[in-house]
């Protein structure tokens, strides 16, 4: 078992390990919680794990209610959000009660946003069950719902009181979802280098999973603690994401997020290498890392993607902030005038 303390505006623990979900009741008691718990989950995860979590809560004197919605990003909308709020109100939840997310990133976003807004905020506990959610959305306090006009357009920064990741839950995660998580993992490997890079280079296994997640969570923790409100350094976490978002837009989200991020890292690595900013050694190490993780993909060529790079429209002169790779473990924020983006991506 491993634990990382995130010193956000409200500090909380991220606990990672085999079987930790069975301790949910004890952890809630340590936090001084009592009363009702709304377990928010989806139709894939709830049948596997919701009863087990609910039983633990009952055993420790809590009153759980399970809310399940259809798995998938399509459910991340105002209608599902409204359903969660309605059930909280119908069940008489008050500000001393708790919302618990049990699922991937979609569940975490929905439950987190409901917790942030119901009665102006009730305690939120996150139990991520996917690799992507464990390493990414479980730290940082971003919660959101999609609008028909675009993804994540409504949301709040809201910190959980606790994050519990049971590594046993990964056993039921489909291969495509593992790969999706690894794609986002490649981002941490290149941002941080060191052990995270080594683990992914040799391949994720049940033996190194706990370490890998703890290291990724800790990497994100360090960056988020310095910049909780995403004013500067936190933008490093966007490595690969300018390209990824363009791929997602262009393919109408057929390419999953993590896979698109891995391609984004690949494009940025190639670009840096072409521009003479990244050594041969590091460039080939990144290529090998991608191949090892079944992420050595060729998606849309850069020329096609450039029109979909969203610029920072608030800034005079319209610049695009790119996360560029100077080396493994050495990424930087580079501002480029929107006029120069095409030329920059040609490598000169
Ligand atoms: P994310 O990839 O951001 O976590 P989702 O919340 O949509 O996005 O999760 C991806 C998919 O994996 C969903 O279909 C979800 O139901 C499923 N899933 C998540 N965790 C598990 C798990 N431990 N076992 C089986 N399926 C899971
Ligand atoms: Zn991402």
């Amino acid at each position: 078992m491993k634990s990382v303390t995130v010193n956000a505006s409200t500090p909380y623990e991220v606990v990672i390990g085999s079987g930790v979900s069975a301790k949910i009741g004890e952890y809630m008691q340590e936090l001084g919680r009592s009363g009702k718990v709304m377990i928010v989950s989806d139709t894939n995860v709830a049948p596997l794990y919701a009863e087990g979590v609910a039983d633990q809560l009952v055993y420790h004197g809590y009153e759980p209610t399970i809310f399940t919605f259809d798995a998938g990003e399509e459910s991340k909308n105002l209608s599902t959000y409204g359903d969660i709020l309605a059930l909280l109100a119908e069940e008489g939840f008050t500000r001393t009660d708790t919302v618990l997310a049990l699922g991937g990133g979609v569940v975490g976003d929905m439950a987190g946003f409901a917790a942030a807004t119901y009665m102006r905020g009730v305690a939120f506990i996150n139990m991520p069950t996917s690799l992507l959610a464990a390493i990414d959305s479980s730290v940082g306090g971003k919660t959101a719902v999609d609008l028909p006009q675009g993804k994540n357009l409504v949301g709040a920064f809201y910190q959980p009181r606790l994050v519990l990741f049971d590594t046993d839950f990964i056993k039921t995660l489909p291969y495509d979802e593992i790969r999706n998580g690894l794609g986002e993992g490649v981002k941490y490997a290149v941002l941080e280098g060191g052990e995270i890079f080594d683990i992914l280079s040799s391949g994720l296994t049940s033996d190194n999973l706990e370490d890998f997640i703890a290291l990724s969570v800790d990497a994100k923790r360090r960056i988020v603690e310095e910049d909780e409100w995403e004013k500067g350094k936190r933008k490093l976490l966007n490595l690969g994401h300018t390209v990824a978002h363009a791929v997602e837009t262009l393919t109408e989200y057929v390419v999953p997020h993590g896979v698109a991020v891995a391609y984004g890292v690949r494009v940025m690595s190639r670009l840096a290498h072409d521009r003479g900013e990244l050594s041969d050694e590091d460039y080939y190490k990144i290529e090998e890392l991608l191949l090892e993780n079944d992420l050595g993909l060729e998606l849309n060529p850069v020329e096609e993607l450039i029109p979909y790079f969203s610029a920072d429209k608030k800034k005079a002169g319209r610049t695009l902030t790119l996360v560029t790779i100077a080396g493994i473990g050495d990424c930087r924020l580079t501002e480029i005038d929107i006029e120069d983006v095409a030329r920059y991506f040609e490598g000169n």
Side-chain angles (χ1 to χ4, degrees):
M1 197 193 83
K2 292 213 153 53
S3 165
V4 177
T5 305
V6 182
N7 288 305
S9 47
T10 323
Y12 62 92
E13 292 281 302
V14 181
V15 183
I16 304 139
S18 167
V20 293
S21 60
K23 303 243 172 69
I24 180 66
E26 274 119 306
Y27 282 112
M28 294 248 327
Q29 283 176 340
E30 273 172 33
L31 288 171
R33 309 300 311 162
S34 61
K36 299 187 170 77
V37 183
M38 179 71 69
I39 301 172
V40 178
S41 192
D42 73 19
T43 46
N44 292 332
V45 178
L48 296 168
Y49 305 116
E51 285 299 332
V53 170
D55 287 350
Q56 286 299 326
L57 291 171
V58 170
Y59 184 76
H60 287 88
Y62 295 95
E63 289 171 68
T65 304
I66 301 172
F67 175 90
T68 305
F69 62 84
D70 286 342
E73 180 80 25
E74 308 75 51
S75 293
K76 210 174 105 175
N77 56 37
L78 292 176
S79 160
T80 313
Y81 166 66
D83 291 346
I84 300 173
L85 297 182
L87 190 59
L88 286 166
E90 279 162 21
E91 297 286 326
F93 273 67
T94 68
R95 297 201 55 191
T96 55
D97 297 320
T98 305
V99 173
L100 186 155
L102 179 68
V106 171
V107 168
D109 265 2
M110 295 284 313
F113 187 55
T117 48
Y118 180 72
M119 293 191 156
R120 301 188 188 87
V122 297
F124 174 51
I125 290 180
N126 197 358
M127 292 178 66
T129 61
S130 73
L131 184 58
L132 182 58
I135 63 172
D136 206 35
S137 51
S138 66
V139 180
K142 280 189 182 179
T143 69
V145 174
D146 299 339
L147 292 184
Q149 290 77 9
K151 286 179 71 146
N152 297 325
L153 287 183
V154 185
F157 281 101
Y158 195 66
Q159 307 298 336
R161 299 288 173 91
L162 170 72
V163 178
L164 264 194
F165 179 72
D166 193 326
T167 47
D168 293 343
F169 287 178
I170 287 294
K171 290 178 188 153
T172 54
L173 193 66
Y175 172 72
D176 281 352
E177 296 301 335
I178 299 268
R179 186 164 170 252
N180 198 24
L182 289 171
E184 195 80 39
V186 163
K187 176 187 86 176
Y188 289 107
V190 174
L191 276 177
E192 290 293 305
E195 222 180 320
I196 305 186
F197 198 96
D198 294 343
I199 290 175
L200 282 197
S201 295
S202 62
L204 194 66
T205 64
S206 51
D207 291 336
N208 58 29
L209 177 67
E210 190 177 297
D211 281 340
F212 171 70
I213 291 171
L215 288 164
S216 300
V217 164
D218 199 49
K220 183 155 185 186
R221 173 195 67 79
R222 264 182 282 117
I223 294 171
V224 169
E225 275 178 10
E226 281 181 47
D227 182 18
E228 183 171 348
W229 312 105
E230 199 162 10
K231 292 203 164 67
K233 197 169 179 202
R234 189 164 176 170
K235 292 198 180 117
L236 285 173
L237 293 168
N238 291 336
L239 172 62
H241 280 63
T242 299
V243 167
H245 290 147
V247 168
E248 290 177 301
T249 307
L250 203 64
T251 62
E252 292 180 345
Y253 297 93
V254 169
V255 177
H257 180 70
V259 174
V261 170
Y263 181 63
V265 171
R266 186 172 213 197
V267 168
M268 296 313 290
S269 161
R270 258 184 210 162
L271 175 69
H273 186 244
D274 288 351
R275 291 175 59 84
E277 294 159 1
L278 179 65
S279 69
D280 284 348
E281 191 191 346
D282 280 5
Y283 170 69
Y284 288 114
K285 273 193 186 167
I286 294 171
E287 282 290 304
E288 274 168 33
L289 177 82
L290 290 162
L291 293 174
E292 165 65 32
N293 289 285
D294 192 12
L295 291 161
L297 309 162
E298 288 300 342
L299 300 173
N300 313 65
V302 182
E303 307 81 72
E304 250 175 57
L305 297 173
I306 289 172
Y308 295 89
F309 288 176
S310 46
D312 190 343
K313 296 184 187 71
K314 279 162 277 176
K315 281 204 179 131
R318 297 186 66 213
T319 56
L320 180 71
T321 306
L322 284 174
V323 186
T324 53
I325 308 173
I328 294 169
D330 182 11
C331 294
R332 298 167 187 192
L333 296 176
T334 305
E335 288 213 6
I336 297 166
D337 197 288
I338 207 77
E339 309 289 326
D340 298 331
V341 170
R343 214 173 318 138
Y344 187 82
F345 274 86
E346 279 161 19
N348 47 55

